[in-house]
Structure formats: C-alpha cells, structure tokens
Amino acid sequence: MRKILYTVLYFLFLIFKLNGQAINVTGKISNKSSKTSQESASVIVLGRSKIDTTILAFELTDSNGKYKLDIPIDSTLKLSIQVSLLGYITYSYDFEGFATKNIIHDIELIESAISLESVVVTGKKWPIIIKTDTTTYIPSAFSNGTERNVEELLKKIPGITIAENGKVSVNGKQVEKIFLDGEDIFSDKYQLITKNLNPKLLSKIEAIDNYSNNPLLRNLQKSNKMVLNLSILESEKATVFGDINLSGGTPN
C-alpha cells in the first residue's frame, strides 16, 4: 500500500513539475530558393482546444532570420506554428507531441507567385499584421472582456511587456510615446492613457518601430524609436476626445 502511495505521489510531482516548464522552440527562417535569411518574419505559436484558439507565443525574426519562443506546456492544447512574411506563402506546421523540451525547427519559405504591396485576409480577423516597421494588433483577438484598462489588455499580447513603473516594451524595445489616433496628447506620461482608457474603445493597436516625427524621413533614416498608436473606434471618437478636451482645465 505504501509503495502504491509513493508511486502516485511521484507521478503527481511530475505533473506539477511539467506544468511549470516550457517548451523552447528555436530556428531560422530562410528563402527556399536563395537560402537567404528572412528578417522580420512573423512567427506565431497557436494552442487549439475544442473551444477556441489561443496565441501562446509571438516573435519577429532577427537580422539573421532567427527566432526563439518559450511555449508553456499544456497537454490539453494542440500546438501549431505559423510563419508569415509579405511576398511569401504562409507556412503552417502542427506539432504532434514533444520528445524533448528543446526543439530546433528551421523553416524555408516559398515566394508567392503574385507580388503584392499589401495583404488582405478574409474570412477571419487576423490578430497580428506586420508591414515593414509597423505591427498591428487587433484588440478583440486578445481580450476576454474583463480588462479594466489598456494596460491589462497589452499584458495579454505576445511580445508586449509592462514594467512595474508602467513603461511598455515591444519585443524588448521600450516604447517612448503612446499616441491616440496619431495625437501626442500626454507625451512620455503615457501611463495616463494605459491605466485609464477603456480597451473596448480601441479598434487597433499599432507598434511603430524606427519612428520619426517627420513622415518624409521615416524610410530614409533609422530613428531607433518605438511608439504605440491606439486607434479609437469611429463610433467612440467624439466621446473620447471630448472627455480629454474637457479635462484640460488647470495644471493640477
């Protein structure tokens, strides 16, 4: 009896231990024809259950085409990896179990037969759209309706982190400013937005890398600045900006 009890406790220990671990997936994205590395490819890991699909990890490949993802272990989910890049056919692969916690998964992308300046996805709302230096997130894809402010929503988006002081970072790069529909209302005191604005008012969130105040220079010089732009739903703009203007008052 004691032996059986020890055996059960041992397996329970293994279960709890595994739940605290993560699967480490690394690899390189390259062009199948030229074998050249592909920078800024979008790598997304999805966890699918019988009810819905969740984004577990998201990363953009670096200048060498490399990516690294840490995926929490959950035996109830079926995992798949998807890679997309403008001008290439979207790559998709389903993982069928894991023999190791460290997986190397190199991927070769095939160029699309038709060269497009933009990509339009129909039939579903794609949660992350990447175009040159701008990454667009669709808020409704990450929200369950319980978020009290924008900060709580941002914490659920892969690649975005919030420090204890409220500073926001995207893929490790600190955000300098957060705009409302392109307007720099609070400058670097953007916590006034993230901690007070209702996320249900947002239509999209844009992370803009290499941002320049002069749009004519944006493609000519690298500013190394990261900013966020929060776009307000058309139906709510009058309410949001009306409240901001009325709160102008005194410096206090």
Side-chain angles (χ1 to χ4, degrees):
M1 184 68 183
R2 183 176 295 179
K3 184 177 180 180
I4 295 174
L5 178 61
Y6 285 157
T7 303
V8 172
L9 290 174
Y10 173 73
F11 281 108
L12 285 174
F13 169 77
L14 285 180
I15 291 172
F16 287 125
K17 186 177 180 182
L18 284 174
N19 285 337
Q21 292 180 343
I23 302 165
N24 181 255
V25 182
T26 60
K28 182 178 180 179
I29 311 297
S30 58
N31 182 303
K32 187 171 184 178
S33 300
S34 64
K35 307 301 180 183
T36 54
S37 302
Q38 298 301 302
E39 182 180 2
S40 297
S42 167
V43 185
I44 301 175
V45 174
L46 302 173
R48 293 189 173 89
S49 67
K50 293 181 180 180
I51 301 175
D52 57 14
T53 299
T54 304
I55 295 178
L56 299 179
F58 166 70
E59 179 78 316
L60 295 177
T61 53
D62 61 18
S63 58
N64 297 314
K66 295 183 178 180
Y67 70 92
K68 179 180 179 181
L69 298 169
D70 292 321
I71 309 167
I73 292 177
D74 188 339
S75 59
T76 64
L77 298 177
K78 293 182 179 179
L79 303 183
S80 65
I81 185 170
Q82 293 186 1
V83 180
S84 58
L85 184 64
L86 192 64
Y88 290 84
I89 298 173
T90 298
Y91 172 92
S92 182
Y93 177 80
D94 294 329
F95 289 107
E96 298 292 342
F98 303 93
T100 177
K101 300 300 183 292
N102 296 299
I103 300 172
I104 299 176
H105 191 70
D106 294 333
I107 299 167
E108 293 183 332
L109 296 180
I110 300 173
E111 293 184 58
S112 174
I114 302 175
S115 178
L116 301 174
E117 293 185 0
S118 61
V119 175
V120 178
V121 179
T122 59
K124 62 179 179 180
K125 187 173 288 187
W126 195 243
I128 302 174
I129 304 168
I130 299 171
K131 187 176 181 182
T132 59
D133 288 332
T134 301
T135 302
T136 303
Y137 307 93
I138 306 302
S140 59
F142 305 96
S143 172
N144 61 10
T146 64
E147 300 83 14
R148 294 167 296 178
N149 53 41
V150 170
E151 182 177 274
E152 291 185 359
L153 175 64
L154 292 177
K155 289 179 179 179
K156 296 183 177 181
I157 300 178
I160 298 182
T161 56
I162 313 291
E164 291 184 3
N165 62 2
K167 292 293 185 180
V168 181
S169 295
V170 179
N171 294 322
K173 181 181 288 189
Q174 186 167 301
V175 171
E176 296 198 11
K177 294 183 179 182
I178 294 183
F179 301 146
L180 279 180
D181 271 343
E183 296 292 333
D184 184 9
I185 297 175
F186 296 110
S187 189
D188 59 343
K189 306 296 183 183
Y190 56 69
Q191 290 90 341
L192 292 170
I193 300 175
T194 57
K195 292 182 179 296
N196 294 284
L197 186 65
N198 189 335
K200 294 180 181 179
L201 302 175
L202 303 181
S203 61
K204 63 182 179 180
I205 300 170
E206 295 173 302
I208 306 171
D209 199 5
N210 301 315
Y211 175 81
S212 172
N213 292 327
N214 187 341
L216 297 177
L217 301 177
R218 194 167 297 170
N219 295 324
L220 299 178
Q221 64 181 25
K222 295 293 185 180
S223 68
N224 202 35
K225 291 182 179 180
M226 173 71 74
V227 301
L228 286 185
N229 181 50
L230 308 180
S231 293
I232 306 298
L233 291 166
E234 288 293 333
S235 59
E236 303 291 344
K237 285 185 178 181
T239 301
V240 172
F241 288 102
D243 289 345
I244 289 174
N245 289 334
L246 288 172
S247 67
T250 66
N252 294 325

